[in-house]
Amino acid sequence: MTDQSLPGIVITGGSGRMGQMLIRTVLDSDAARLAGVVERQGHDWVGRDIGTCLGGAPLGVTVTDDPLEAFAKAQAVIDFTAPAATVEFAALAAQARATHVIGTTGLAPEDLEKIAAAARHATVVRAGNMSLGVNLLVQLTKRVAAALDEDFDIEVIEYHHNRKVDAPSGTALMLGEAAAEGRGVALDDVADRGRDGITGARKRGDIGFAAIRGGGIVGEHDVLFASEAERIVLRHVAEDRSVFARGALKAALWGQGKGPGEYDMLDVLGLKD
């Protein structure tokens, strides 16, 4: 029987590949319990036991299309869905005073403003990537960028599966932000996110992005520092989505007892400068 004293976690978008990985990660944890699973209205999982949906024995948790009802019974929400849904969930999680862990990518500036408003009332942990390795790579990127001048061009190259809908990836943008911060510039001022046709020579000081999509690649990211005479490549390869699920659960548990505000995985992992 599940220990009801453990923090209750709700997973949104439970039928997706990441949603199912998150559900299994929570079920396997001895530090948290699965308090709810949310799916969109009309989905055939709604009203069914999540254990049965996953092909196993009933677990006593019924999939719902009412997020507020689910959030009100939990201490944290883990959300890897889509921008429009995440913005809605942010307001509802704040209303329920539940920690909201956001792994959703492709968020627009107006989405981020709404999430920041929700964070005035509840704990929000948002990151383009939840893995320990990637967050270490972010710190390394910042330090290397700070150590090298503009004789070194910076390129961020990311590789993902052929079903990913946004580009550059959230992780690539995290790495670009880290490189820009290391150089003391704003990423928006130096980002080169599209090259096609006769583009002219590369502009000194730009931070370039390239997105590769193919097959079932979970996620790979390179940060290339290239001068006329040498190259440095920082790389992270995710072999399995479980690294993101474990990081997200760690964030949900870390958020318990924290005050309102917007945090990231560097806070969770104690890697902030």
mmCIF file with all atom_site columns, all heavy atoms in Angstrom, residues 9-14 18-20 22-24 26 34-39 71 76-80:
data_model
loop_
_atom_site.group_PDB
_atom_site.id
_atom_site.type_symbol
_atom_site.label_atom_id
_atom_site.label_alt_id
_atom_site.label_comp_id
_atom_site.label_asym_id
_atom_site.label_entity_id
_atom_site.label_seq_id
_atom_site.pdbx_PDB_ins_code
_atom_site.Cartn_x
_atom_site.Cartn_y
_atom_site.Cartn_z
_atom_site.occupancy
_atom_site.B_iso_or_equiv
_atom_site.pdbx_formal_charge
_atom_site.auth_seq_id
_atom_site.auth_comp_id
_atom_site.auth_asym_id
_atom_site.auth_atom_id
_atom_site.pdbx_PDB_model_num
ATOM 1   N N   . ILE A 1 9  ? 2.428  13.303 -6.432  1.00 0.00 ? 9  ILE A N   1
ATOM 2   C CA  . ILE A 1 9  ? 2.837  13.878 -7.708  1.00 0.00 ? 9  ILE A CA  1
ATOM 3   C C   . ILE A 1 9  ? 1.758  13.616 -8.754  1.00 0.00 ? 9  ILE A C   1
ATOM 4   O O   . ILE A 1 9  ? 1.280  12.484 -8.892  1.00 0.00 ? 9  ILE A O   1
ATOM 5   C CB  . ILE A 1 9  ? 4.160  13.261 -8.215  1.00 0.00 ? 9  ILE A CB  1
ATOM 6   C CG1 . ILE A 1 9  ? 5.217  13.214 -7.103  1.00 0.00 ? 9  ILE A CG1 1
ATOM 7   C CG2 . ILE A 1 9  ? 4.657  14.014 -9.443  1.00 0.00 ? 9  ILE A CG2 1
ATOM 8   C CD1 . ILE A 1 9  ? 5.727  14.544 -6.654  1.00 0.00 ? 9  ILE A CD1 1
ATOM 9   N N   . VAL A 1 10 ? 1.389  14.655 -9.500  1.00 0.00 ? 10 VAL A N   1
ATOM 10  C CA  . VAL A 1 10 ? 0.482  14.520 -10.641 1.00 0.00 ? 10 VAL A CA  1
ATOM 11  C C   . VAL A 1 10 ? 1.306  14.622 -11.924 1.00 0.00 ? 10 VAL A C   1
ATOM 12  O O   . VAL A 1 10 ? 2.156  15.509 -12.049 1.00 0.00 ? 10 VAL A O   1
ATOM 13  C CB  . VAL A 1 10 ? -0.605 15.607 -10.641 1.00 0.00 ? 10 VAL A CB  1
ATOM 14  C CG1 . VAL A 1 10 ? -1.408 15.570 -11.945 1.00 0.00 ? 10 VAL A CG1 1
ATOM 15  C CG2 . VAL A 1 10 ? -1.542 15.431 -9.458  1.00 0.00 ? 10 VAL A CG2 1
ATOM 16  N N   . ILE A 1 11 ? 1.038  13.728 -12.869 1.00 0.00 ? 11 ILE A N   1
ATOM 17  C CA  . ILE A 1 11 ? 1.693  13.763 -14.172 1.00 0.00 ? 11 ILE A CA  1
ATOM 18  C C   . ILE A 1 11 ? 0.675  14.223 -15.204 1.00 0.00 ? 11 ILE A C   1
ATOM 19  O O   . ILE A 1 11 ? -0.402 13.641 -15.323 1.00 0.00 ? 11 ILE A O   1
ATOM 20  C CB  . ILE A 1 11 ? 2.244  12.386 -14.572 1.00 0.00 ? 11 ILE A CB  1
ATOM 21  C CG1 . ILE A 1 11 ? 3.170  11.826 -13.484 1.00 0.00 ? 11 ILE A CG1 1
ATOM 22  C CG2 . ILE A 1 11 ? 2.958  12.470 -15.926 1.00 0.00 ? 11 ILE A CG2 1
ATOM 23  C CD1 . ILE A 1 11 ? 4.374  12.671 -13.172 1.00 0.00 ? 11 ILE A CD1 1
ATOM 24  N N   . THR A 1 12 ? 1.007  15.271 -15.953 1.00 0.00 ? 12 THR A N   1
ATOM 25  C CA  . THR A 1 12 ? 0.139  15.725 -17.025 1.00 0.00 ? 12 THR A CA  1
ATOM 26  C C   . THR A 1 12 ? 0.575  15.065 -18.342 1.00 0.00 ? 12 THR A C   1
ATOM 27  O O   . THR A 1 12 ? 1.737  14.692 -18.500 1.00 0.00 ? 12 THR A O   1
ATOM 28  C CB  . THR A 1 12 ? 0.198  17.251 -17.183 1.00 0.00 ? 12 THR A CB  1
ATOM 29  O OG1 . THR A 1 12 ? 1.540  17.647 -17.494 1.00 0.00 ? 12 THR A OG1 1
ATOM 30  C CG2 . THR A 1 12 ? -0.245 17.939 -15.904 1.00 0.00 ? 12 THR A CG2 1
ATOM 31  N N   . GLY A 1 13 ? -0.377 14.929 -19.263 1.00 0.00 ? 13 GLY A N   1
ATOM 32  C CA  . GLY A 1 13 ? -0.047 14.290 -20.534 1.00 0.00 ? 13 GLY A CA  1
ATOM 33  C C   . GLY A 1 13 ? 0.455  12.879 -20.350 1.00 0.00 ? 13 GLY A C   1
ATOM 34  O O   . GLY A 1 13 ? 1.434  12.460 -20.973 1.00 0.00 ? 13 GLY A O   1
ATOM 35  N N   . GLY A 1 14 ? -0.239 12.121 -19.511 1.00 0.00 ? 14 GLY A N   1
ATOM 36  C CA  . GLY A 1 14 ? 0.261  10.810 -19.096 1.00 0.00 ? 14 GLY A CA  1
ATOM 37  C C   . GLY A 1 14 ? 0.395  9.775  -20.195 1.00 0.00 ? 14 GLY A C   1
ATOM 38  O O   . GLY A 1 14 ? 1.166  8.823  -20.050 1.00 0.00 ? 14 GLY A O   1
ATOM 39  N N   . MET A 1 18 ? 6.937  10.628 -22.819 1.00 0.00 ? 18 MET A N   1
ATOM 40  C CA  . MET A 1 18 ? 7.549  11.191 -21.619 1.00 0.00 ? 18 MET A CA  1
ATOM 41  C C   . MET A 1 18 ? 6.617  11.042 -20.437 1.00 0.00 ? 18 MET A C   1
ATOM 42  O O   . MET A 1 18 ? 7.065  10.760 -19.318 1.00 0.00 ? 18 MET A O   1
ATOM 43  C CB  . MET A 1 18 ? 7.885  12.667 -21.861 1.00 0.00 ? 18 MET A CB  1
ATOM 44  C CG  . MET A 1 18 ? 8.804  13.254 -20.814 1.00 0.00 ? 18 MET A CG  1
ATOM 45  S SD  . MET A 1 18 ? 10.430 12.474 -20.805 1.00 0.00 ? 18 MET A SD  1
ATOM 46  C CE  . MET A 1 18 ? 10.843 12.644 -19.063 1.00 0.00 ? 18 MET A CE  1
ATOM 47  N N   . GLY A 1 19 ? 5.317  11.225 -20.649 1.00 0.00 ? 19 GLY A N   1
ATOM 48  C CA  . GLY A 1 19 ? 4.355  11.054 -19.562 1.00 0.00 ? 19 GLY A CA  1
ATOM 49  C C   . GLY A 1 19 ? 4.416  9.667  -18.957 1.00 0.00 ? 19 GLY A C   1
ATOM 50  O O   . GLY A 1 19 ? 4.412  9.506  -17.731 1.00 0.00 ? 19 GLY A O   1
ATOM 51  N N   . GLN A 1 20 ? 4.480  8.655  -19.811 1.00 0.00 ? 20 GLN A N   1
ATOM 52  C CA  . GLN A 1 20 ? 4.548  7.282  -19.303 1.00 0.00 ? 20 GLN A CA  1
ATOM 53  C C   . GLN A 1 20 ? 5.846  7.033  -18.553 1.00 0.00 ? 20 GLN A C   1
ATOM 54  O O   . GLN A 1 20 ? 5.862  6.353  -17.516 1.00 0.00 ? 20 GLN A O   1
ATOM 55  C CB  . GLN A 1 20 ? 4.400  6.300  -20.463 1.00 0.00 ? 20 GLN A CB  1
ATOM 56  C CG  . GLN A 1 20 ? 3.015  6.319  -21.094 1.00 0.00 ? 20 GLN A CG  1
ATOM 57  C CD  . GLN A 1 20 ? 2.835  5.232  -22.131 1.00 0.00 ? 20 GLN A CD  1
ATOM 58  O OE1 . GLN A 1 20 ? 3.223  4.087  -21.938 1.00 0.00 ? 20 GLN A OE1 1
ATOM 59  N NE2 . GLN A 1 20 ? 2.231  5.595  -23.265 1.00 0.00 ? 20 GLN A NE2 1
ATOM 60  N N   . LEU A 1 22 ? 7.530  9.286  -16.904 1.00 0.00 ? 22 LEU A N   1
ATOM 61  C CA  . LEU A 1 22 ? 7.393  9.991  -15.624 1.00 0.00 ? 22 LEU A CA  1
ATOM 62  C C   . LEU A 1 22 ? 6.542  9.190  -14.647 1.00 0.00 ? 22 LEU A C   1
ATOM 63  O O   . LEU A 1 22 ? 6.873  9.088  -13.453 1.00 0.00 ? 22 LEU A O   1
ATOM 64  C CB  . LEU A 1 22 ? 6.772  11.366 -15.851 1.00 0.00 ? 22 LEU A CB  1
ATOM 65  C CG  . LEU A 1 22 ? 7.680  12.408 -16.513 1.00 0.00 ? 22 LEU A CG  1
ATOM 66  C CD1 . LEU A 1 22 ? 6.860  13.552 -17.080 1.00 0.00 ? 22 LEU A CD1 1
ATOM 67  C CD2 . LEU A 1 22 ? 8.712  12.929 -15.512 1.00 0.00 ? 22 LEU A CD2 1
ATOM 68  N N   . ILE A 1 23 ? 5.450  8.629  -15.133 1.00 0.00 ? 23 ILE A N   1
ATOM 69  C CA  . ILE A 1 23 ? 4.580  7.819  -14.269 1.00 0.00 ? 23 ILE A CA  1
ATOM 70  C C   . ILE A 1 23 ? 5.369  6.652  -13.682 1.00 0.00 ? 23 ILE A C   1
ATOM 71  O O   . ILE A 1 23 ? 5.321  6.397  -12.468 1.00 0.00 ? 23 ILE A O   1
ATOM 72  C CB  . ILE A 1 23 ? 3.362  7.309  -15.060 1.00 0.00 ? 23 ILE A CB  1
ATOM 73  C CG1 . ILE A 1 23 ? 2.424  8.475  -15.387 1.00 0.00 ? 23 ILE A CG1 1
ATOM 74  C CG2 . ILE A 1 23 ? 2.618  6.228  -14.273 1.00 0.00 ? 23 ILE A CG2 1
ATOM 75  C CD1 . ILE A 1 23 ? 1.370  8.135  -16.416 1.00 0.00 ? 23 ILE A CD1 1
ATOM 76  N N   . ARG A 1 24 ? 6.100  5.956  -14.520 1.00 0.00 ? 24 ARG A N   1
ATOM 77  C CA  . ARG A 1 24 ? 6.865  4.793  -14.040 1.00 0.00 ? 24 ARG A CA  1
ATOM 78  C C   . ARG A 1 24 ? 7.962  5.214  -13.076 1.00 0.00 ? 24 ARG A C   1
ATOM 79  O O   . ARG A 1 24 ? 8.255  4.505  -12.109 1.00 0.00 ? 24 ARG A O   1
ATOM 80  C CB  . ARG A 1 24 ? 7.434  4.028  -15.236 1.00 0.00 ? 24 ARG A CB  1
ATOM 81  C CG  . ARG A 1 24 ? 6.358  3.326  -16.067 1.00 0.00 ? 24 ARG A CG  1
ATOM 82  C CD  . ARG A 1 24 ? 6.957  2.386  -17.106 1.00 0.00 ? 24 ARG A CD  1
ATOM 83  N NE  . ARG A 1 24 ? 5.934  1.548  -17.700 1.00 0.00 ? 24 ARG A NE  1
ATOM 84  C CZ  . ARG A 1 24 ? 5.313  1.814  -18.844 1.00 0.00 ? 24 ARG A CZ  1
ATOM 85  N NH1 . ARG A 1 24 ? 5.621  2.915  -19.517 1.00 0.00 ? 24 ARG A NH1 1
ATOM 86  N NH2 . ARG A 1 24 ? 4.386  1.005  -19.320 1.00 0.00 ? 24 ARG A NH2 1
ATOM 87  N N   . VAL A 1 26 ? 7.871  7.781  -10.985 1.00 0.00 ? 26 VAL A N   1
ATOM 88  C CA  . VAL A 1 26 ? 7.235  8.061  -9.700  1.00 0.00 ? 26 VAL A CA  1
ATOM 89  C C   . VAL A 1 26 ? 6.825  6.763  -9.011  1.00 0.00 ? 26 VAL A C   1
ATOM 90  O O   . VAL A 1 26 ? 7.036  6.588  -7.798  1.00 0.00 ? 26 VAL A O   1
ATOM 91  C CB  . VAL A 1 26 ? 6.018  8.988  -9.878  1.00 0.00 ? 26 VAL A CB  1
ATOM 92  C CG1 . VAL A 1 26 ? 5.274  9.153  -8.553  1.00 0.00 ? 26 VAL A CG1 1
ATOM 93  C CG2 . VAL A 1 26 ? 6.457  10.351 -10.407 1.00 0.00 ? 26 VAL A CG2 1
ATOM 94  N N   . LEU A 1 34 ? 2.297  8.472  -6.670  1.00 0.00 ? 34 LEU A N   1
ATOM 95  C CA  . LEU A 1 34 ? 1.525  8.964  -7.804  1.00 0.00 ? 34 LEU A CA  1
ATOM 96  C C   . LEU A 1 34 ? 0.143  9.354  -7.309  1.00 0.00 ? 34 LEU A C   1
ATOM 97  O O   . LEU A 1 34 ? -0.651 8.511  -6.894  1.00 0.00 ? 34 LEU A O   1
ATOM 98  C CB  . LEU A 1 34 ? 1.425  7.886  -8.888  1.00 0.00 ? 34 LEU A CB  1
ATOM 99  C CG  . LEU A 1 34 ? 0.726  8.319  -10.185 1.00 0.00 ? 34 LEU A CG  1
ATOM 100 C CD1 . LEU A 1 34 ? 1.555  9.386  -10.902 1.00 0.00 ? 34 LEU A CD1 1
ATOM 101 C CD2 . LEU A 1 34 ? 0.511  7.120  -11.106 1.00 0.00 ? 34 LEU A CD2 1
ATOM 102 N N   . ALA A 1 35 ? -0.156 10.654 -7.365  1.00 0.00 ? 35 ALA A N   1
ATOM 103 C CA  . ALA A 1 35 ? -1.431 11.162 -6.850  1.00 0.00 ? 35 ALA A CA  1
ATOM 104 C C   . ALA A 1 35 ? -2.458 11.378 -7.950  1.00 0.00 ? 35 ALA A C   1
ATOM 105 O O   . ALA A 1 35 ? -3.653 11.493 -7.663  1.00 0.00 ? 35 ALA A O   1
ATOM 106 C CB  . ALA A 1 35 ? -1.208 12.471 -6.097  1.00 0.00 ? 35 ALA A CB  1
ATOM 107 N N   . GLY A 1 36 ? -2.028 11.452 -9.188  1.00 0.00 ? 36 GLY A N   1
ATOM 108 C CA  . GLY A 1 36 ? -2.978 11.691 -10.260 1.00 0.00 ? 36 GLY A CA  1
ATOM 109 C C   . GLY A 1 36 ? -2.304 11.701 -11.619 1.00 0.00 ? 36 GLY A C   1
ATOM 110 O O   . GLY A 1 36 ? -1.089 11.903 -11.732 1.00 0.00 ? 36 GLY A O   1
ATOM 111 N N   . VAL A 1 37 ? -3.109 11.483 -12.645 1.00 0.00 ? 37 VAL A N   1
ATOM 112 C CA  . VAL A 1 37 ? -2.660 11.556 -14.039 1.00 0.00 ? 37 VAL A CA  1
ATOM 113 C C   . VAL A 1 37 ? -3.712 12.344 -14.809 1.00 0.00 ? 37 VAL A C   1
ATOM 114 O O   . VAL A 1 37 ? -4.908 12.060 -14.698 1.00 0.00 ? 37 VAL A O   1
ATOM 115 C CB  . VAL A 1 37 ? -2.474 10.161 -14.668 1.00 0.00 ? 37 VAL A CB  1
ATOM 116 C CG1 . VAL A 1 37 ? -2.091 10.284 -16.139 1.00 0.00 ? 37 VAL A CG1 1
ATOM 117 C CG2 . VAL A 1 37 ? -1.424 9.354  -13.906 1.00 0.00 ? 37 VAL A CG2 1
ATOM 118 N N   . VAL A 1 38 ? -3.257 13.336 -15.585 1.00 0.00 ? 38 VAL A N   1
ATOM 119 C CA  . VAL A 1 38 ? -4.174 14.193 -16.334 1.00 0.00 ? 38 VAL A CA  1
ATOM 120 C C   . VAL A 1 38 ? -3.996 13.950 -17.825 1.00 0.00 ? 38 VAL A C   1
ATOM 121 O O   . VAL A 1 38 ? -2.857 13.849 -18.324 1.00 0.00 ? 38 VAL A O   1
ATOM 122 C CB  . VAL A 1 38 ? -3.911 15.678 -16.018 1.00 0.00 ? 38 VAL A CB  1
ATOM 123 C CG1 . VAL A 1 38 ? -4.759 16.584 -16.906 1.00 0.00 ? 38 VAL A CG1 1
ATOM 124 C CG2 . VAL A 1 38 ? -4.192 15.967 -14.550 1.00 0.00 ? 38 VAL A CG2 1
ATOM 125 N N   . GLU A 1 39 ? -5.115 13.847 -18.511 1.00 0.00 ? 39 GLU A N   1
ATOM 126 C CA  . GLU A 1 39 ? -5.115 13.782 -19.973 1.00 0.00 ? 39 GLU A CA  1
ATOM 127 C C   . GLU A 1 39 ? -6.143 14.762 -20.515 1.00 0.00 ? 39 GLU A C   1
ATOM 128 O O   . GLU A 1 39 ? -7.009 15.244 -19.786 1.00 0.00 ? 39 GLU A O   1
ATOM 129 C CB  . GLU A 1 39 ? -5.400 12.367 -20.487 1.00 0.00 ? 39 GLU A CB  1
ATOM 130 C CG  . GLU A 1 39 ? -4.173 11.611 -20.981 1.00 0.00 ? 39 GLU A CG  1
ATOM 131 C CD  . GLU A 1 39 ? -3.405 12.341 -22.085 1.00 0.00 ? 39 GLU A CD  1
ATOM 132 O OE1 . GLU A 1 39 ? -3.985 13.259 -22.720 1.00 0.00 ? 39 GLU A OE1 1
ATOM 133 O OE2 . GLU A 1 39 ? -2.231 12.023 -22.292 1.00 0.00 ? 39 GLU A OE2 1
ATOM 134 N N   . PHE A 1 71 ? -4.730 18.501 -9.135  1.00 0.00 ? 71 PHE A N   1
ATOM 135 C CA  . PHE A 1 71 ? -3.679 19.292 -8.506  1.00 0.00 ? 71 PHE A CA  1
ATOM 136 C C   . PHE A 1 71 ? -4.002 19.568 -7.036  1.00 0.00 ? 71 PHE A C   1
ATOM 137 O O   . PHE A 1 71 ? -3.097 19.634 -6.200  1.00 0.00 ? 71 PHE A O   1
ATOM 138 C CB  . PHE A 1 71 ? -3.485 20.620 -9.228  1.00 0.00 ? 71 PHE A CB  1
ATOM 139 C CG  . PHE A 1 71 ? -3.022 20.514 -10.665 1.00 0.00 ? 71 PHE A CG  1
ATOM 140 C CD1 . PHE A 1 71 ? -2.910 21.658 -11.449 1.00 0.00 ? 71 PHE A CD1 1
ATOM 141 C CD2 . PHE A 1 71 ? -2.712 19.291 -11.241 1.00 0.00 ? 71 PHE A CD2 1
ATOM 142 C CE1 . PHE A 1 71 ? -2.485 21.586 -12.758 1.00 0.00 ? 71 PHE A CE1 1
ATOM 143 C CE2 . PHE A 1 71 ? -2.288 19.202 -12.562 1.00 0.00 ? 71 PHE A CE2 1
ATOM 144 C CZ  . PHE A 1 71 ? -2.182 20.355 -13.321 1.00 0.00 ? 71 PHE A CZ  1
ATOM 145 N N   . ALA A 1 76 ? 2.795  18.287 -5.938  1.00 0.00 ? 76 ALA A N   1
ATOM 146 C CA  . ALA A 1 76 ? 3.597  18.711 -7.092  1.00 0.00 ? 76 ALA A CA  1
ATOM 147 C C   . ALA A 1 76 ? 2.971  18.213 -8.380  1.00 0.00 ? 76 ALA A C   1
ATOM 148 O O   . ALA A 1 76 ? 2.269  17.190 -8.404  1.00 0.00 ? 76 ALA A O   1
ATOM 149 C CB  . ALA A 1 76 ? 5.034  18.194 -6.975  1.00 0.00 ? 76 ALA A CB  1
ATOM 150 N N   . VAL A 1 77 ? 3.241  18.949 -9.452  1.00 0.00 ? 77 VAL A N   1
ATOM 151 C CA  . VAL A 1 77 ? 2.796  18.615 -10.795 1.00 0.00 ? 77 VAL A CA  1
ATOM 152 C C   . VAL A 1 77 ? 4.029  18.563 -11.685 1.00 0.00 ? 77 VAL A C   1
ATOM 153 O O   . VAL A 1 77 ? 4.848  19.493 -11.667 1.00 0.00 ? 77 VAL A O   1
ATOM 154 C CB  . VAL A 1 77 ? 1.829  19.676 -11.349 1.00 0.00 ? 77 VAL A CB  1
ATOM 155 C CG1 . VAL A 1 77 ? 1.413  19.346 -12.787 1.00 0.00 ? 77 VAL A CG1 1
ATOM 156 C CG2 . VAL A 1 77 ? 0.621  19.832 -10.444 1.00 0.00 ? 77 VAL A CG2 1
ATOM 157 N N   . ILE A 1 78 ? 4.183  17.487 -12.458 1.00 0.00 ? 78 ILE A N   1
ATOM 158 C CA  . ILE A 1 78 ? 5.275  17.406 -13.429 1.00 0.00 ? 78 ILE A CA  1
ATOM 159 C C   . ILE A 1 78 ? 4.654  17.462 -14.817 1.00 0.00 ? 78 ILE A C   1
ATOM 160 O O   . ILE A 1 78 ? 3.790  16.651 -15.160 1.00 0.00 ? 78 ILE A O   1
ATOM 161 C CB  . ILE A 1 78 ? 6.123  16.130 -13.251 1.00 0.00 ? 78 ILE A CB  1
ATOM 162 C CG1 . ILE A 1 78 ? 6.707  16.077 -11.836 1.00 0.00 ? 78 ILE A CG1 1
ATOM 163 C CG2 . ILE A 1 78 ? 7.244  16.110 -14.284 1.00 0.00 ? 78 ILE A CG2 1
ATOM 164 C CD1 . ILE A 1 78 ? 7.560  14.843 -11.572 1.00 0.00 ? 78 ILE A CD1 1
ATOM 165 N N   . ASP A 1 79 ? 5.141  18.395 -15.610 1.00 0.00 ? 79 ASP A N   1
ATOM 166 C CA  . ASP A 1 79 ? 4.454  18.797 -16.830 1.00 0.00 ? 79 ASP A CA  1
ATOM 167 C C   . ASP A 1 79 ? 5.417  18.876 -18.013 1.00 0.00 ? 79 ASP A C   1
ATOM 168 O O   . ASP A 1 79 ? 6.226  19.793 -18.105 1.00 0.00 ? 79 ASP A O   1
ATOM 169 C CB  . ASP A 1 79 ? 3.804  20.166 -16.547 1.00 0.00 ? 79 ASP A CB  1
ATOM 170 C CG  . ASP A 1 79 ? 3.141  20.788 -17.745 1.00 0.00 ? 79 ASP A CG  1
ATOM 171 O OD1 . ASP A 1 79 ? 2.832  20.071 -18.705 1.00 0.00 ? 79 ASP A OD1 1
ATOM 172 O OD2 . ASP A 1 79 ? 2.914  22.017 -17.699 1.00 0.00 ? 79 ASP A OD2 1
ATOM 173 N N   . PHE A 1 80 ? 5.340  17.895 -18.915 1.00 0.00 ? 80 PHE A N   1
ATOM 174 C CA  . PHE A 1 80 ? 6.094  17.904 -20.177 1.00 0.00 ? 80 PHE A CA  1
ATOM 175 C C   . PHE A 1 80 ? 5.054  17.837 -21.298 1.00 0.00 ? 80 PHE A C   1
ATOM 176 O O   . PHE A 1 80 ? 4.934  16.818 -21.962 1.00 0.00 ? 80 PHE A O   1
ATOM 177 C CB  . PHE A 1 80 ? 7.007  16.690 -20.278 1.00 0.00 ? 80 PHE A CB  1
ATOM 178 C CG  . PHE A 1 80 ? 8.274  16.755 -19.461 1.00 0.00 ? 80 PHE A CG  1
ATOM 179 C CD1 . PHE A 1 80 ? 8.235  16.754 -18.074 1.00 0.00 ? 80 PHE A CD1 1
ATOM 180 C CD2 . PHE A 1 80 ? 9.524  16.772 -20.072 1.00 0.00 ? 80 PHE A CD2 1
ATOM 181 C CE1 . PHE A 1 80 ? 9.392  16.775 -17.317 1.00 0.00 ? 80 PHE A CE1 1
ATOM 182 C CE2 . PHE A 1 80 ? 10.690 16.795 -19.331 1.00 0.00 ? 80 PHE A CE2 1
ATOM 183 C CZ  . PHE A 1 80 ? 10.631 16.796 -17.945 1.00 0.00 ? 80 PHE A CZ  1
#
